């Protein structure tokens, strides 16, 4: 998979936002909670930081606004949903590959035991 | 907490956050303000539901996020949190806060740390020079704030803001110092004489009443002096610009 090298490495905020969107379209507050959950509260994103990051990710073409809502009947129509673009998916893939390489290096240098990968909650 | 109080707490928080949103650059506000308000509403609703209220921790996190993101958005919008444009627009306020800060330090040092029991009349010349310097500073504030075209109203406004803020901070400091360190402050000759000539039952009552009179008298006087000096500064800038373009 080809990606724009200038995007890598991603900042923790951008990485976790892309990761959160990999499982489906989300609005701002859903993203905020998903990032906190995925990062085990290591990355706590306030509203201001969240929308600043989303603005820059939109401008970089990593995400886009989703036209349709997952469940319009249950939702406030003023909410805006975001989704990954192909470019965003590629950047996320490249970053995960980079992390995987770092993990394998750490294991090679005996800095990290072989991990049994836990399934996501 | 009752559901009614939950709603009131959330509504109050939303009003506060709406005010904080005004700190962001206009472009960011118009593009993301309603979305940010909606997300904050969700966040506050969940926090109230789980913790029963919005405590100090919640607000500290919100404030830290606002400060960080306002700084970043203003920088990326080319305004800069403390950039030349921002400072230029609010020059009077910034200068007033700086002058007020200096006043606070000066008042605490001269009244508490290195407290003197001598009468103010011993320092008349020094005070006169000090007041002249302060008026000159207000004039310079008007000069800078009036911008290249030398807008007189902008200069007067900046001078007024600076004078009012500096005076208000100075008077507030006197109020705190005089009440917290009354035993030190009450050794001043002028205070002792004034108290004996007054009909107040206690030194504290005398000092606080004098401060109220000072607030009533000095704030309008400072505003007027700041406005006049600021306008003079703006006129000077306009005149200098006229002279340089003529030559």
């Amino acid at each position: 998979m080809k990606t724009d090298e200038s995007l890598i490495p991603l900042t923790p905020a951008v990485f976790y936002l892309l990761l959160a969107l990999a499982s489906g379209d989300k609005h701002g507050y859903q993203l905020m909670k998903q990032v906190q959950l995925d990062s085990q509260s290591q990355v706590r994103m306030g509203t201001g930081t969240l929308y600043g990051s989303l603005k820059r990710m939109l401008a970089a073409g990593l995400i886009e606004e989703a036209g349709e809502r997952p469940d319009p009947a249950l939702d406030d129509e003023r909410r805006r949903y975001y989704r990954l673009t192909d470019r965003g998916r590629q950047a996320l893939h490249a970053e995960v590959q980079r992390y995987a390489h770092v993990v394998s290096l750490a294991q090679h240098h005996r800095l990290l035991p072989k991990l049994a990968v836990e399934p996501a909650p | 907490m009752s559901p009614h109080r939950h709603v009131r707490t959330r509504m109050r928080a939303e009003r506060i956050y709406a005010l904080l949103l005004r700190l962001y650059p206009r472009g960011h506000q118009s593009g993301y303000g309603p979305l940010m308000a909606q997300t904050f509403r969700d966040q506050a609703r969940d926090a109230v539901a789980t913790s029963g209220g919005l405590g100090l921790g919640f607000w500290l996190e919100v404030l830290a996020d606002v400060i960080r993101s306002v700084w970043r958005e203003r920088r990326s919008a080319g305004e800069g949190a403390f950039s030349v444009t921002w400072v230029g627009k609010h020059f009077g306020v910034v200068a007033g806060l700086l002058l007020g800060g200096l006043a606070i330090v000066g008042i605490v040092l001269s009244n508490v740390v290195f407290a003197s029991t001598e009468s103010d009349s011993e320092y008349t010349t020094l005070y006169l020079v000090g007041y002249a310097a302060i008026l000159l500073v207000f004039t310079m504030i008007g000069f800078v704030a009036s911008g290249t075209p030398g807008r007189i109203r902008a200069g007067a406004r900046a001078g007024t803001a600076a004078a009012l803020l500096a005076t208000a901070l100075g008077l507030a400091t006197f109020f705190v110092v005089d009440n917290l360190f009354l035993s030190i402050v009450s050794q001043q000759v002028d205070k002792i004489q004034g108290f004996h000539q007054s009909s107040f039952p206690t030194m504290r009552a005398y000092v606080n009443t004098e401060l109220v009179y000072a607030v009533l008298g000095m704030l309008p006087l400072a505003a007027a002096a700041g406005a006049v000096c600021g306008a003079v500064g703006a006129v000077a800038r306009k005149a200098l610009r006229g002279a340089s373009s003529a030559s």
Side-chain angles (χ1 to χ4, degrees), chain B residues 168-210:
Chain B
L169 285 171
L171 288 170
T173 310
F174 270 122
F175 182 79
V176 173
V177 163
D178 286 1
N179 279 282
L180 282 183
F181 303 101
L182 189 65
S183 56
I184 299 173
V185 173
S186 60
Q187 303 300 313
Q188 293 170 5
V189 174
D190 295 327
K191 288 219 169 39
I192 293 167
Q193 284 177 352
F195 175 57
H196 285 311
Q197 286 164 11
S198 74
S199 55
F200 289 102
T202 62
M203 177 62 97
R204 191 181 295 278
Y206 164 72
V207 164
N208 284 328
T209 309
E210 288 294 305

Side-chain angles (χ1 to χ4, degrees), chain A residues 54-119:
Chain A
L54 291 176
K55 184 168 82 172
R56 280 176 272 283
M57 289 164 73
L58 282 165
L62 295 172
I63 57 168
E64 62 187 5
E65 286 176 23
E68 66 275 10
R69 293 156 193 288
D71 193 349
L74 294 173
D75 199 15
D76 185 332
E77 62 180 22
R78 287 170 299 182
R79 288 189 201 281
R80 203 172 287 173
Y81 281 78
Y82 299 93
R83 71 154 71 105
L84 279 184
T85 59
D86 286 343
R87 193 169 192 228
R89 202 171 289 279
Q90 286 166 14
L92 179 61
H93 183 260
E95 185 72 342
V96 171
Q97 294 278 54
R98 196 176 69 84
Y99 283 171
H101 179 65
V102 172
V103 169
S104 70
L105 270 180
Q107 285 169 339
H108 178 73
H109 294 302
R110 297 179 191 281
L111 295 168
L112 197 67
K114 293 268 185 205
L115 295 174
V117 178
E118 287 176 28

Side-chain angles (χ1 to χ4, degrees), chain B residues 1-21:
Chain B
M1 194 189 267
S2 70
H4 193 64
R5 278 190 71 185
H6 277 187
V7 173
R8 269 204 318 236
T9 304
R10 268 167 34 204
M11 286 174 69
R12 210 168 29 234
E14 285 168 26
R15 278 200 297 273
I16 294 170
Y17 195 70
L19 289 175
L20 292 173
L21 282 176

Side-chain angles (χ1 to χ4, degrees), chain A residues 29 48-49 51 55-56 79, chain B residues 28 39 42 46 61 65 73:
Chain A
Y29 188 54
T49 308
Y51 281 97
K55 184 168 82 172
R56 280 176 272 283
R79 288 189 201 281
Chain B
H28 191 79
T39 302
D42 292 339
D46 273 10
E61 270 191 35
D65 174 62
E73 295 310 324

Side-chain angles (χ1 to χ4, degrees), chain B residues 80-160:
Chain B
F82 295 101
S83 72
V84 175
T85 318
W86 192 90
V87 172
K89 267 186 183 171
H90 304 86
F91 189 70
V93 175
V94 174
L97 289 173
L98 286 174
L99 284 174
L102 285 176
I104 290 171
V105 173
I107 291 165
V108 172
L109 286 178
S110 62
N111 285 266
V112 182
V113 182
F114 305 110
S116 162
T117 53
E118 291 172 332
S119 168
D120 283 350
S121 57
E122 305 269 333
Y123 302 100
T124 306
T125 313
L126 193 66
Y127 279 128
L128 284 176
V129 172
Y131 286 131
I134 289 168
L135 293 178
L136 187 64
V137 169
F138 292 153
T139 309
M140 286 164 66
I141 289 168
F143 184 94
V144 174
S146 63
T148 314
R151 293 182 303 267
I152 295 173
R153 277 179 71 176
R157 212 165 37 227
T160 309

